[in-house]
Amino acid sequence: MENLGTVDKVYDEIDTNSQLQVGLGATPYRGYGQLDFGVDYKKSSETKDTWDSLFWGGQYSFGAMRLSSGYNTENVTGGISFGMNSLSVGLVYSSTRLPGDIGSESYNQTVFTQFGYKM
Amino acid sequence: MNHTIKLYLHNLAIKCSLILTLLLVSSQSQCLAKETLAQGRSEKIWKAYKKKIELTESKEHTLGLSYMISGGVATLGGIYGYYNSQDPFARGVYAIAQSIGIGAIGYGAFTYWIGDDQRSFYNIIENTESLSNAQRVQILRSYLQSKKRQEQKSNTIKAITHGALAIINGINASKESNQDVRTVLYFLGGINLLASLSYTF
């Protein structure tokens, strides 16, 4: 379950209702690197049908490198990142469908660099 | 009559010495059997350990190679990105990618050619020809016990350190007036508490 507990501030734009979230993952290959697949089911007030609630993901880890990709009816992502010890950096591509008139589809496509520090 | 007694005593002495010899031989062969069994067991244990080390070495070769190749990709990608990007943040990220890449190559080379301390320990013991397998197993037992004790101590130190961090973050959070800072401090306290618990059990 997501969003369990108390809310200190309420914003109209942010949905703070409790949401069910279930995930399933598998590692079909482990040898020269590791291949992982996973799917998350996350029901929120914005999702219309079951397919919208499914988030598919895959990752191939090879030494310090991670190749990852994700798919949802609203969003597609793909990225490469490198990490050693606590530091990680990466390059991520993301394409998100923007809400608009029915029939006309527009996407927000972004490529961004990321920096991470693991505590 | 005297001759008959002498003959009887002589026969008795021969019988006794035969029984004694048989007992001695039996006891000696029992000892030998026990020794052979112990030697066989030691050889089995040492062979199993040798197999385990060879498997670890093969895994370390794969891992080391993976880190060296991915480190090379990160370094080359970082250099290309750094000289083809105008954005200061992106350039910083590419510079870190280069450092990570070189670090990964070094780590990979270390893992491939040197590996962990168990590999060094095995090589030292295996290459000391004067040692019997029983002696090797005895040293191995002592080494593994010492390693276990070291690990237990290390876990205790980590549990105490994270526990202290959880307490200090919790105290700071309870006295903090700013709501956002308090949330962050409670979050840090919670993470450290979880880390401490993971090292305790």
Side-chain angles (χ1 to χ4, degrees), chain A residues 8-9 31-33 62-66 80 82-84 87-91 113-115 119, chain B residues 62 65-67 69-70 73-74 89-90 93-94 96-97 100 103-104 107 179-180 183 188 191:
Chain A
D8 60 328
K9 277 182 193 172
Y32 272 92
F62 181 72
M65 183 173 72
R66 310 261 176 282
I80 183 168
F82 297 92
M84 273 295 287
L87 286 178
S88 72
V89 289
L91 202 61
T113 45
Q114 64 175 36
F115 168 75
M119 284 192 289
Chain B
T62 309
L65 212 58
S66 310
Y67 268 93
I69 295 169
S70 60
V73 173
F89 178 77
V93 165
Y94 287 123
I96 296 168
I100 287 175
Y107 174 75
Q179 176 67 41
D180 295 327
T183 309
L188 288 173
I191 284 175

Side-chain angles (χ1 to χ4, degrees), chain A residues 67-78:
Chain A
L67 288 169
S68 41
S69 63
Y71 172 78
N72 175 253
T73 49
E74 301 292 316
N75 182 255
V76 176
T77 54

Side-chain angles (χ1 to χ4, degrees), chain B residues 10 15 31 34 40 47 58 65 74 88 103 108 137-138 140 151 195:
Chain B
H10 180 73
K15 272 180 190 169
C31 281
K34 269 185 191 170
K47 266 187 184 168
S58 156
L65 212 58
V137 170
Q138 220 171 351
L140 173 67
E151 208 172 293

Side-chain angles (χ1 to χ4, degrees), chain B residues 27-44:
Chain B
S27 138
Q28 269 181 345
S29 59
Q30 265 185 353
C31 281
L32 205 69
K34 269 185 191 170
E35 213 171 284
T36 315
L37 200 71
Q39 272 177 359
R41 205 184 299 156
S42 299
E43 202 174 325
K44 223 175 179 179

Side-chain angles (χ1 to χ4, degrees), chain A residues 27-36 60:
Chain A
T27 304
Y29 172 74
R30 193 178 281 166
Y32 272 92
Q34 184 176 310
L35 188 64
D36 297 295
Y60 176 62

